[in-house]
Amino acid sequence: MIETETALAPLDTDVRYRLRVLHDDAAEDDRAVALGLLAAGRAGGPETLAEPGGDRAAVARILDRVDGRDRALFYDAWYRMKIPYGEAEPDSWYVLALALGRTSGDLPAALDLHARVLLLLADAEDPAAVFAREFGLTGEPAGTLKDAVLAGAPFLRATPKPWRARLRDRALAVWTGLREEERPLLLLEFRQRVEGLEQVRFFLDGRTEDNRGVGAVLQRCASTDPAAWTDSQLAVATLALMWREAGFCLQELNQSIISLPLVADFVVRRVRAYEQVLGIPPAPLPEGIADLARLYGGLRVRIERDHLRCLQFDGSNWERREFLVPRRSCAEALPLPATLRGRLETAFGAPLAGEGPAAWAAAVDNAVAAGLTPTDVIRTLGAWAVADELLPVDYAIFTAPMSNAKLAAPWTLDYEDVFCYTAFAGGFDWSAEGVPFDFVRIANAIGQRLRYNVVKKAQNYTLVRRFKAQSFNVPDIAVAEDANHEGHRAAGIRMSCRVPTHVHHEGITWKGLADIRLNRTFYREHLEFRPSDIPAASRLAEWLGWIADAVYERGLEFDAKYGKKLPRTEGAA
């Protein structure tokens, strides 16, 4: 058993909390939405809460009475405010609910008012006066959301947010401070980078914008003086700048409301979370927006020394959640299990001593001495992986460059230069699991896509690109991979775990060229990959990297047929 396995259990709970936006029986969410409807004047007066039956019964009555369109609008807004942390700040929700009331449910106008009021509150000497001026609320600020709704009073949390002070002026100063010929260059770079990402889905001005939509916003910013930018345009441009400087996963904000104060809140919350993990005191927050992003980036680099930065995502709605796995827990999983060592010794008729890269180099040598090829090492590892009791899967997929022939310049890799092997679990029945493709077509669909991914990722290493570069991956676990992807649906890619690895050649470490992917086809909650599965999965990636390095060092290559369309496969392992 991995020593840190018990310590990883809370991580599963935390990530599940942040991904499952509506929790348990949704009582908390129902209550927040009901209070929001009351605050907006869309569900009668606050006396509704005092009717017989208690708080929960009152909430149910409110939700039953209101117009269904209002109910759907408020639930959607509440859901988006809870991304990506699985919770929304009640004072911010109160302001949005009031804004929806003030604008008669005009969501784009309400979002604009919400952002503006949050910034006004940060700059005001008397925040209660902002509520009076913008929403007509008077009286002493209430201590809870419910009390504020009942009294029609301001509601302010005790925790100040000094990073919001003069935020618009500080963000605008970044862009007005650039020369007019520099600004378009930077913004058009951001446009290309955003459009090259996998599935951006921002909630902007009351609608969901994909990569091209966000790219179009950046294009308009490039062709317009910053003084004329809308608040949404300033928020998108500033978010892109902070993303470039900090290096976070931009898609972690998928489906969330994009506004300047909420972007700043996301960055500051992550900064404080990283400081807590590192055990260091909170640093003073820089005045400059770019400097704040660089603070985030510096902490991210420190975090990654001792942690794998990973993602959990939902293929049905493109949401992402970051989580951290201690590298120590992955290192503890690396020693060769006796069952795997036994398989390798039996397959190649020779003892296998030692651990680490030397053991896998010996496995490659043993395979060659037995008249076999490095592919047989991968086959043996794959057969063991799909049957591993610690992490059983239906498919185990291994991808790496075919040989060292183009590793001096990997951006010249062609599809046939990339090896991709899929191992299937013994007894796996694709037809019984409702997978449209058979073994051969599953392997070919997977191989075609993953070879494409490697060739695209390799373009990051050159300025003169044959294709638009694909961003590098961090380890991830996913559900509903087949919801919005025809290829995944056909090949049965449903619940997956992906871990990239590095390969080495002539002193250079290359990333993005090799990875392992694990897949389960049977939809059950207990079969979803969890953060605590990452150590067991990461050892497969590490072993793949060591095998590949041994192959390249010896001038060997994997079987060329796994760089092409297969006429047949070995079937299940």
Side-chain angles (χ1 to χ4, degrees), residues 227-496:
W229 288 357
T230 67
D231 287 348
S232 294
Q233 289 172 336
L234 179 59
V236 170
T238 303
L239 172 57
L241 174 72
M242 299 183 88
W243 166 54
R244 200 275 297 268
E245 296 293 336
F248 53 81
C249 173
L250 190 65
Q251 299 99 313
E252 201 174 356
L253 292 170
N254 276 0
Q255 306 297 353
S256 69
I257 297 167
I258 302 299
S259 70
L260 200 56
L262 297 185
V263 166
D265 289 355
F266 167 78
V267 170
V268 172
R269 181 163 177 168
R270 183 58 53 77
V271 163
R272 294 309 188 212
Y274 280 0
E275 289 169 334
Q276 187 172 14
V277 172
L278 291 167
I280 60 177
L285 296 175
E287 175 81 4
I289 294 297
D291 292 331
L292 176 59
R294 293 185 192 110
L295 173 62
Y296 183 141
L299 292 169
R300 178 185 57 77
V301 170
R302 292 179 63 179
I303 280 284
E304 289 179 332
R305 291 173 187 161
D306 295 317
H307 296 81
L308 282 179
R309 197 165 55 92
C310 308
L311 290 174
Q312 156 76 295
F313 68 87
D314 187 330
S316 67
N317 56 21
W318 311 116
E319 288 182 36
R320 307 290 199 269
R321 303 286 186 271
E322 180 180 288
F323 62 92
L324 304 174
V325 173
R327 290 186 182 272
R328 180 169 64 91
S329 65
C330 299
E332 290 171 2
L334 282 176
L336 276 176
T339 53
L340 177 55
R341 191 183 298 272
R343 274 188 183 248
L344 292 165
E345 291 176 341
T346 300
F348 309 129
L352 188 64
E355 293 288 352
W360 287 101
V364 171
D365 291 338
N366 290 347
V368 173
L372 301 170
T373 75
T375 300
D376 292 291
V377 180
I378 297 294
R379 283 196 186 98
T380 305
L381 175 57
W384 177 86
V386 293
D388 178 18
E389 292 183 357
L390 185 61
L391 193 62
V393 296
D394 295 324
Y395 318 163
I397 306 154
F398 301 83
T399 306
M402 192 71 70
S403 70
N404 68 13
K406 294 186 177 180
L407 284 185
W411 52 91
T412 64
L413 285 168
D414 292 314
Y415 299 129
E416 292 188 358
D417 298 318
V418 181
F419 167 85
C420 184
Y421 177 79
T422 300
F424 296 98
F428 173 71
D429 185 338
W430 54 269
S431 179
E433 298 300 339
V435 178
F437 283 179
D438 59 18
F439 288 122
V440 175
R441 291 192 293 169
I442 290 171
N444 282 331
I446 291 170
Q448 178 179 331
R449 181 66 191 187
L450 297 193
R451 288 191 288 271
Y452 169 84
N453 288 351
V454 170
V455 170
K456 295 269 284 186
K457 285 181 172 63
Q459 301 308 302
N460 286 291
Y461 288 108
T462 182
L463 293 176
V464 181
R465 296 172 176 173
R466 298 153 59 204
F467 316 96
K468 186 178 291 185
Q470 189 180 103
S471 57
F472 295 125
N473 293 105
V474 298
D476 65 57
I477 54 179
V479 297
E481 280 273 69
D482 58 337
N484 288 295
H485 195 299
E486 290 294 336
H488 287 176
R489 186 176 298 119
I493 304 298
R494 294 169 179 167
M495 295 180 292
S496 70

Side-chain angles (χ1 to χ4, degrees), residues 50-62:
E51 293 179 10
D55 188 73
R56 187 155 188 175
V59 165
R61 281 194 300 272
I62 293 168

Side-chain angles (χ1 to χ4, degrees), residues 155-212:
F155 172 43
L156 299 169
R157 295 290 293 273
T159 306
K161 295 183 173 61
W163 58 87
R164 289 182 184 169
R166 300 175 28 260
L167 183 58
R168 194 182 196 286
D169 292 341
R170 289 158 49 213
L172 194 59
V174 173
W175 300 104
T176 56
L178 294 173
R179 295 196 304 272
E180 63 177 352
E181 72 274 17
E182 292 178 326
R183 197 165 49 244
L185 188 65
L186 188 59
L187 288 162
L188 293 176
E189 174 198 333
F190 292 165
R191 174 186 175 176
Q192 292 184 49
R193 292 186 66 190
V194 168
E195 290 182 347
L197 291 176
E198 180 184 49
Q199 305 301 344
V200 171
R201 294 291 186 276
F202 287 168
F203 197 67
L204 189 67
D205 291 331
R207 60 184 180 273
T208 302
E209 298 285 2
D210 63 8
N211 305 56
R212 291 185 178 182

Side-chain angles (χ1 to χ4, degrees), residues 80-93:
R80 295 183 186 283
M81 289 204 70
K82 294 182 72 173
I83 299 170
Y85 292 108
E87 56 192 22
E89 296 187 344
D91 53 343
S92 183
W93 170 241

